[in-house]
Amino acid sequence: MGLFTLPTTIPWLSLIWLSTVVPAAIIALTPRRHAEAMRWTGAIFALLSLVLSLLVWLAYDPIRGGFQFIERLEWMPQLGISYLLGVDGISLPMLVLNGVVIFTGALMSWNIEERVKEYWVLLLLLTTGVYGVFVALDLFLFFVFYELAVLPMYLLIGVWGSTRKEYGAMKLTLFLMAGSALAIIGMLGLYFGSGLRTFDMIVLSRSVTLAGDLQRIFFLPMFAGFAVLAGMFPFHTWSPTGHVAAPTAVSMLHAGVLMKLGAYGCIRAAMWLMPVGANLWLPIIAVLTIFNVVYGATIAMAQRDAKFIIGYSSVSHMGLVLMGLAAATQLAMTGAVLQMFAHGIMTALFFAVVGRMIYERTHTRQLPELGGLRKVMPFAAWMFILGGLSSMGMPGLAGFWAEFTIFLGVWERYPLIAVIAAISIPVTGAYILRAVWATFDGEVKNPEFFKLPALTWQERTGAIILAVILVVVGIYPAILTELISTGVEPVVAQLTGVVVAGR
Amino acid sequence: MFQITDIPRLLPEILLLVLALLVLGSDIFEKWGRTPEAQLERVRSSASLTAIGLGLVFVIALLQSAYVPGTRAPQGPVGNAVLDWLLTILRNLQSGGPGGEPVTGAFATDHLTMIARLTFIGAAFIASLLCLDYRPSAHPAEFYALILFSTLGMCLMAGATEFIMAYLAVELTSIPLYILAGYFRNDARSSEAGMKYFLFGAMSSGILLYGMSLAYGYAASALAGNVTANDLTQFGRVAQLASDAGAGSTLLTLGMVFVIAGVGYKVAAVPFHGWAPDVYQGAPTPITAFISTASKAAGFILLLRLLTTAFPALSGGASLADLGGWTSLVAFLALLTVVVGNLAALPQTNAKRLLAWSSVAHAGFVLLALVAWAAPQPFDRDQGAAALLYYLVVYTLTNLGAFGALAAINLIVGGDEIADLNGLARRNLGLATLFTLCILSLAGIPPLAGFFAKFYVFMAAWQGGARWLVVVAVITTLISLYYYLRLLRAMFIAPPPSETPLPAPPAIMAAVVVAVVPLIVVGLFPNLILGVISRVQTVAGM
């Protein structure tokens, strides 16, 4: 039983994604001069979507498990395309994560003064796409939402970004669209190869009718297509450039949620639906993720721009997620999904501090030019340190449990890879401490810093929400892990079942 | 035999002819002053007569088709005299609706023709709205009448089931368009466009006619002496003689290749595309919108009917293992078209020329749908036909919207270089948004209609066995995204030359809105038109 039951007559999941479309429409129709009203509309509806996600989360019954809150409508029945929504233990934490990040992101967007209307409309459309992906159970619908989540990013970064924004925006969009092109090929192979002529993922997964040979062929484009968005080596280069160029809320959403969307796609569309193919390719992918984890961390060490440090640390942490997925044990995958959540929150906090609190005030993110900011904005310093500790895997914070579980799981399957990847732990500690030290410690380098405006209530609220979640999950990870484990179980069973049956 | 009851079946064509003559004649009664006001008056009256007339013809055709749920006339009287009278008219109208044998064996009035008519008349309607603020140089009535004659030709092209009919329809479509493309005589580019279009068009007509004569020659020689038969130019008859003969004939194959080449010119498929960028760029923008959509769609529908009813025995296979037949040829043309079209669009600096190349590339995507005929299952072939029509309808709307928006931009900014688009979002957000939606639909971004159109076409070709072709096409979609994004970049990211707002002419904006709204609605609910399109499969004799 969930904590309470929600009336089943109401399409809760549709309401979640609609609750970000509606304000987009309202804002589009609001006259340009009411900028403040637009911000409030956006933020309130973002909060509403968060509340709805939380309601669904609390009402989800983890004992029964499986997909719940299923909604099904015919869309194009002659082609086996339906509007099919549902959530399980993997998508629920992602829903809540998206809710948290968009709400705090909305709070951090208060200072956008230029073309407010377009900004909010695009931001909310982007969120709609992300919500949609996490609730869609029809592969076609999944893909529609996926592309909807990618495209607004181009304009968001291109118009409101900084530091080589046009280059970053174009690179990001083309990489992600290349990923989706790969995924289309995987989808077509799956659709026609399985002979079922349906995009219904529940049906496709229940009896995997795609021949083993075809699975081995089409797993790769499908997995790689989504792994591009998850920032997998060697397709990760768009990610730091894009993160750095993006405005704060977009970086938060992007590193916080969108990259998870890639990992989610890898689980849902690739591993779940093509287990035979997965068993062939996952060991190779596991080796590649070493590069993500270790190389990403090492590059982060060498950066001077604080946002680049976070960007590369995202690559490294998402590498851990993919490594957990590649190990494909119950423990590793639970850890991977938990890491998706923990990293989402933590990265959002990082970008909020660096992008919004520091950069918007000092107009620099170069470590050598910063320094001593703890004296000027102690709140920002503590938030950054908290996020940093979680990133390093400090016990008592969400990141610890996630990384610990992933390493345990990977050790079960590929001990050597676990050992090599563990090099990243001290490196991560080093670059985080370096960033903290260079930004916040020591004397105030620039006397101008004393004149910086104080933090606004929106910034504080947003950061506190994120920090509290990090601590709560850190103290009591079971609120997520039990749920995640029920969601991961069928996928793992699918993969190991295949090994046993020797298909 | 032609019967008097066949007249309602030809009603849309007859109405178009009457309307065209009416528009041509009405100008005589206008004041022929030399002042700009009098000129404008003449333009306005011709334009509004055309637009209103086309709107009416569209509504009548729609009623006749009974595609809109609830418009099918009920049987028997309802009691109210006036209502019964109207119902009788509707019933008579719908008795000429889709169905029945081809009129005199030459003109089919099936669902394919009906959907095609609606598409062309709708496209002509939007194009005539686009022309409202565009002032043709000399005699406005001719300008509009030519659009109408061309539309009539397209409708005949879609229904033609006989070679001579098809050829005449092609000519009736093309000749007015040659004149329209060169309508701005004082503009060097427009004159060049008209001339180029005419020369290429004349040559392609010759090739088409030669192919048809070969097919006729095959049919006549297959009967070996019995050449008094007068049905040898009918598509179905040629197909029947070919299937009776069993093995494929070189003569017929050669005829088919020439026919594909001839129609390939009309639809601007690579390598027959040489004229397209210059003509599209040089022609007046509303005419470009019309040429690149309706005329192209008519070509594809003719191609569909020709290949599937006249040459079904030669369909062959599209996978690398069993090459041969027209599906292989079409697959090869599609490959060339998507690659060349998309790559050539990349370096363009003129927005109109960029869209011209993108239109070339889109022809390649439509060709993909024809490849579905290589599939063994009739179901998959039907999917191919549905995918083709769906793509054509969506593409017609999208490209009309895109060129329409470009026409508005050209009017208010005074150029159609990409640099002229700079900062448009700050100066006219509505227009920029509409243009963006069209571009994204062309690029195939969900939830706009263009996405499913592309996806459906990919599905059709995949099932036809052309998997590598689909892979290449998917990659070229990605390439196309780069140049489409450049347009977005110019409108939204690049700084505007000045901040003054640029109000767009209302008629053009209305036309673009009419084109864009269905893109969103159909994108969300593709079954709205797929339901109608899927009727094509059962009737068209495929």
Side-chain angles (χ1 to χ4, degrees):
Chain A
M1 268 308 281
L3 289 182
F4 49 83
T5 37
L6 289 171
T8 51
T9 50
I10 298 173
W12 292 101
L13 300 181
S14 299
L15 280 184
I16 293 180
W17 71 262
L18 282 174
S19 65
T20 50
V21 177
V22 172
I26 296 176
I27 291 172
L29 298 175
T30 311
R32 200 166 277 285
R33 57 183 183 279
H34 299 298
E36 193 67 13
M38 292 180 196
R39 294 186 184 114
W40 278 103
T41 316
I44 287 172
F45 275 93
L47 180 62
L48 176 69
S49 72
L50 170 61
V51 170
L52 285 170
S53 312
L54 281 173
L55 276 182
V56 171
W57 182 36
L58 294 176
Y60 179 88
D61 180 357
I63 294 158
R64 189 153 61 88
F67 290 102
Q68 296 178 18
F69 297 97
I70 288 182
E71 295 168 27
R72 187 193 293 271
L73 288 174
E74 295 294 357
W75 195 12
M76 282 168 263
Q78 71 273 36
L79 297 174
I81 298 173
S82 54
Y83 173 80
L84 178 64
L85 304 184
V87 283
D88 72 347
I90 304 177
S91 42
L92 271 176
M94 294 299 110
L95 269 188
V96 175
L97 170 69
N98 190 28
V100 171
V101 175
I102 178 58
F103 177 56
T104 51
L107 291 176
M108 297 297 165
S109 305
W110 228 265
N111 65 327
I112 301 275
E113 295 289 349
E114 194 198 1
R115 295 204 254 173
V116 182
K117 178 194 273 200
E118 289 99 312
Y119 176 83
W120 281 91
V121 168
L122 289 170
L123 187 69
L124 289 165
L125 282 182
L126 167 66
T127 321
T128 307
V130 180
Y131 271 129
V133 169
F134 288 138
V135 294
L137 284 180
D138 182 279
L139 199 51
F140 183 82
L141 182 67
F142 185 89
F143 191 78
V144 167
F145 278 124
Y146 174 84
E147 293 225 338
L148 184 63
V150 171
L151 207 91
M153 199 64 94
Y154 176 72
L155 290 179
L156 279 170
I157 296 177
V159 178
W160 293 275
S162 55
T163 322
R164 293 216 290 165
K165 56 186 184 178
E166 287 181 22
Y167 169 76
M170 186 59 96
K171 186 172 182 180
L172 178 144
T173 317
L174 289 184
F175 261 85
L176 299 192
M177 284 297 174
S180 73
L182 283 172
I184 280 197
I185 291 164
M187 271 167 74
L188 288 173
L190 186 62
Y191 179 79
F192 287 113
S194 71
L196 297 173
R197 296 287 173 109
T198 178
F199 285 109
D200 182 335
M201 287 201 269
I202 301 180
V203 174
L204 285 172
S205 71
R206 194 177 293 143
S207 52
V208 179
T209 52
L210 186 63
D213 287 342
L214 290 179
Q215 287 193 36
R216 288 184 197 106
I217 295 172
F218 290 115
F219 176 83
L220 199 59
M222 190 78 113
F223 190 92
F226 288 109
V228 171
L229 183 50
M232 186 166 130
F233 179 88
F235 312 115
H236 65 284
T237 54
W238 60 271
S239 129
T241 335
H243 292 340
V244 171
T248 303
V250 178
S251 315
M252 287 169 70
L253 264 173
H254 204 274
V257 193
L258 247 97
M259 292 179 86
K260 279 69 194 173
L261 201 145
Y264 180 80
C266 290
I267 303 177
R268 236 337 154 248
M271 295 168 66
W272 192 38
L273 302 182
M274 291 183 260
V276 177
N279 280 318
L280 174 71
W281 290 104
L282 283 182
I284 298 164
I285 291 164
V287 174
L288 280 180
T289 57
I290 301 178
F291 287 94
N292 260 79
V293 176
V294 179
Y295 167 83
T298 322
I299 299 290
M301 188 77 204
Q303 298 302 318
R304 288 152 59 94
D305 184 320
K307 260 194 171 179
F308 263 115
I309 296 182
I310 310 171
Y312 277 105
S313 101
S314 287
V315 172
S316 166
H317 282 102
M318 284 310 290
L320 279 177
V321 171
L322 291 168
M323 183 181 282
L325 297 185
T329 61
Q330 174 78 22
L331 204 56
M333 285 194 61
T334 309
V337 179
L338 183 62
Q339 170 80 339
M340 279 154 75
F341 184 86
H343 176 249
I345 299 287
M346 173 185 97
T347 278
L349 184 59
F350 273 145
F351 278 116
V353 172
V354 173
R356 175 76 174 87
M357 300 181 190
I358 297 179
Y359 180 69
E360 293 291 334
R361 289 183 171 74
T362 63
H363 300 287
T364 178
R365 296 183 302 250
Q366 302 298 320
L367 293 185
E369 295 172 26
L370 294 166
L373 283 177
R374 188 152 58 106
K375 299 208 173 77
V376 187
M377 39 177 106
F379 179 79
W382 285 115
M383 286 299 134
F384 192 88
I385 290 168
L386 190 74
L389 291 178
S390 174
S391 177
M392 287 153 58
M394 185 74 171
L397 292 167
F400 167 73
W401 298 106
E403 290 188 16
F404 185 62
T405 330
I406 290 175
F407 275 112
L408 279 184
V410 175
W411 177 264
E412 284 178 351
R413 193 75 178 267
Y414 314 112
L416 186 62
I417 290 180
V419 170
I420 300 174
I423 299 172
S424 74
I425 298 175
V427 181
T428 307
Y431 69 73
I432 293 286
L433 290 177
R434 171 170 162 264
V436 170
W437 171 79
T439 316
F440 295 106
D441 268 359
E443 291 305 310
V444 178
K445 281 226 185 101
N446 188 338
E448 292 290 315
F449 288 173
F450 285 111
K451 296 179 204 148
L452 295 180
L455 296 182
T456 61
W457 66 266
Q458 290 97 339
E459 291 170 304
R460 287 177 189 272
T461 320
I464 287 171
I465 293 173
L466 294 169
V468 167
I469 294 173
L470 275 187
V471 174
V472 169
V473 176
I475 293 171
Y476 188 62
I479 51 169
L480 282 173
T481 48
E482 285 179 7
L483 184 68
I484 293 171
S485 155
T486 62
V488 163
E489 212 181 320
V491 182
V492 175
Q494 192 97 311
L495 289 163
T496 48
V498 167
V499 176
V500 173
R503 261 199 285 173
Chain B
M1 277 301 291
F2 186 80
Q3 291 159 336
I4 199 75
T5 49
D6 284 338
I7 287 182
R9 296 171 64 189
L10 302 175
L11 194 63
E13 285 76 22
I14 294 171
L15 287 177
L16 278 175
L17 182 62
V18 171
L19 181 63
L21 295 174
L22 202 62
V23 170
L24 203 53
S26 72
D27 198 34
I28 298 169
F29 303 109
E30 288 294 328
K31 215 172 10 180
W32 279 45
R34 296 223 168 268
T35 55
E37 290 77 30
Q39 277 281 330
L40 192 64
E41 187 61 34
R42 281 175 67 199
V43 173
R44 282 277 151 79
S45 65
S46 301
S48 44
L49 182 61
T50 310
I52 293 169
L54 278 170
L56 276 177
V57 177
F58 183 82
V59 171
I60 290 172
L62 197 63
L63 280 177
Q64 185 174 32
S65 68
Y67 286 153
V68 181
T71 53
R72 166 73 61 196
Q75 296 298 318
V78 289
N80 183 326
V82 179
L83 210 58
D84 272 339
W85 183 70
L86 289 174
L87 274 178
T88 313
I89 293 180
L90 186 62
R91 227 170 276 136
N92 283 332
L93 193 62
Q94 292 185 344
S95 70
E101 286 295 302
V103 179
T104 69
F107 185 77
T109 57
D110 50 16
H111 284 286
L112 182 61
T113 313
M114 202 67 214
I115 292 169
R117 277 172 183 160
L118 290 172
T119 312
F120 305 145
I121 298 173
F125 172 69
I126 295 177
S128 66
L129 281 184
L130 290 178
C131 296
L132 271 180
D133 295 289
Y134 239 85
R135 209 174 315 162
S137 53
H139 303 295
E142 287 168 13
F143 184 84
Y144 289 101
L146 286 171
I147 294 182
L148 291 169
F149 281 123
S150 182
T151 314
L152 171 61
M154 290 167 192
C155 294
L156 294 176
M157 243 167 115
T161 56
E162 196 252 359
F163 283 121
I164 303 298
M165 179 74 184
Y167 179 74
L168 290 179
V170 167
E171 290 300 279
L172 181 56
T173 307
S174 308
I175 292 171
L177 291 181
Y178 304 150
I179 306 171
L180 287 171
Y183 208 83
F184 286 166
R185 271 173 304 173
N186 301 330
D187 178 18
R189 278 196 182 281
S190 180
S191 307
E192 183 200 339
M195 199 57 188
K196 203 168 236 175
Y197 196 18
F198 170 67
L199 290 177
F200 274 92
M203 189 173 75
S204 74
S205 296
I207 293 172
L208 181 65
L209 200 56
Y210 187 53
M212 288 172 170
S213 74
L214 287 180
Y216 172 78
Y218 169 80
S221 66
L223 283 179
N226 181 19
V227 284
T228 50
N230 63 355
D231 57 355
L232 292 183
T233 51
Q234 289 178 12
F235 295 170
R237 189 77 173 122
V238 172
Q240 186 202 341
L241 289 169
S243 74
D244 288 348
S249 135
T250 324
L251 188 61
L252 192 61
T253 311
L254 206 58
M256 177 201 78
V257 171
F258 277 114
V259 166
I260 292 182
V263 183
Y265 271 107
K266 301 291 177 196
V267 300
V270 178
F272 315 116
H273 66 293
W275 56 276
D278 290 336
V279 172
Y280 287 0
Q281 191 186 357
T285 312
I287 295 304
T288 307
F290 192 56
I291 296 178
S292 73
T293 55
S295 148
K296 192 174 274 199
F300 274 114
I301 288 170
L302 177 64
L303 195 61
L304 172 74
R305 201 188 282 279
L306 255 172
L307 292 180
T308 54
T309 57
F311 306 111
L314 301 173
S315 66
S319 67
L320 290 177
D322 54 349
L323 283 177
W326 58 260
T327 45
S328 305
L329 190 58
V330 165
F332 182 63
L333 292 183
L335 176 71
L336 284 180
T337 310
V338 290
V339 171
V340 173
N342 281 313
L343 287 182
L346 277 180
Q348 303 303 330
T349 55
N350 181 294
K352 204 167 161 190
R353 201 173 174 83
L354 191 153
L355 284 183
W357 277 109
S358 112
S359 307
V360 172
H362 278 273
F365 290 115
V366 185
L367 285 173
L368 279 180
L370 282 173
V371 176
W373 251 264
Q377 306 291 335
F379 175 79
D380 294 318
R381 299 177 172 202
D382 293 346
Q383 295 297 316
L388 179 112
L389 281 176
Y390 185 80
Y391 200 101
L392 285 180
V393 172
V394 168
Y395 164 77
T396 300
L397 282 169
T398 314
N399 236 25
L400 278 172
F403 276 113
L406 206 57
I409 293 165
N410 195 350
L411 278 182
I412 58 180
V413 186
D416 35 38
E417 296 294 316
I418 293 180
D420 289 325
L421 297 175
N422 280 356
L424 187 72
R426 286 168 189 259
R427 307 175 76 185
N428 189 338
L429 184 60
L431 184 58
T433 310
L434 289 173
F435 195 25
T436 303
L437 287 173
C438 290
I439 291 170
L440 292 182
S441 180
L442 283 176
I445 303 294
L448 297 163
F451 167 69
F452 182 67
K454 265 197 186 130
F455 192 79
Y456 202 13
V457 162
F458 290 157
M459 280 170 77
W462 185 279
Q463 199 52 13
R467 296 190 189 157
W468 287 109
L469 181 58
V470 173
V471 172
V472 173
V474 169
I475 294 169
T476 58
T477 331
L478 188 66
I479 296 172
S480 76
L481 192 68
Y482 178 77
Y483 59 78
Y484 288 127
L485 285 182
R486 276 175 59 207
L487 297 177
L488 252 67
R489 191 201 79 89
M491 283 190 288
F492 285 89
I493 301 175
S498 80
E499 292 275 345
T500 38
L502 288 170
I508 290 195
M509 286 297 271
V512 177
V513 169
V514 167
V516 169
V517 169
L519 289 185
I520 301 169
V521 176
V522 171
L524 292 177
F525 305 103
N527 264 9
L528 284 181
I529 58 173
L530 264 184
V532 171
I533 285 174
S534 57
R535 297 185 204 185
V536 166
Q537 307 147 4
T538 51
V539 186
M542 295 163 195

